[in-house]
């Protein structure tokens, strides 16, 4: 009886560990996606600001 209970608990522990591993992978992927989007948006904003700056300089020099 004890052997069967131990085996069942071991199987449950393995399932929990697999679930945790799966969740960690999902969280890591979400973090990578977040930072990728953040970098893209920051780059767009930077380029827009630089372009706006040079457009204003051209207007003043004319």
């Amino acid at each position: 009886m004890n052997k069967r209970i131990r085996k069942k608990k071991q199987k449950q522990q393995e399932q929990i560990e697999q679930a945790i591993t799966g969740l960690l992978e999902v969280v890591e992927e979400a973090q990578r996606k977040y930072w990728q989007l953040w970098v893209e948006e920051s780059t767009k904003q930077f380029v827009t600001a630089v372009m706006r700056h040079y457009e204003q300089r051209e207007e003043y020099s004319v």
Side-chain angles (χ1 to χ4, degrees):
M1 187 73 105
N2 282 341
K3 190 174 187 179
R4 197 170 74 199
I5 291 172
R6 251 186 270 125
K7 189 174 183 179
K8 185 176 182 180
K9 284 185 177 183
Q10 179 65 29
K11 186 175 181 180
Q12 288 174 338
Q13 183 67 29
E14 289 172 1
Q15 290 173 336
I16 290 170
E17 289 173 1
Q18 289 174 351
I20 290 170
T21 300
L23 288 173
L24 288 173
E25 290 173 358
V26 169
V27 168
E28 289 173 357
E29 181 61 31
Q31 287 176 328
R32 278 193 294 273
K33 184 68 174 170
Y34 170 83
W35 287 112
Q36 177 185 358
L37 292 173
W38 183 86
V39 167
E40 289 174 5
E41 186 60 29
S42 295
T43 302
K44 287 178 190 176
Q45 291 176 3
F46 175 75
V47 169
T48 301
V50 169
M51 294 298 289
R52 196 177 312 122
H53 174 75
Y54 281 105
E55 287 172 355
Q56 289 174 352
R57 287 184 77 191
E58 287 178 6
E59 289 175 6
Y60 290 125
S61 66
V62 172

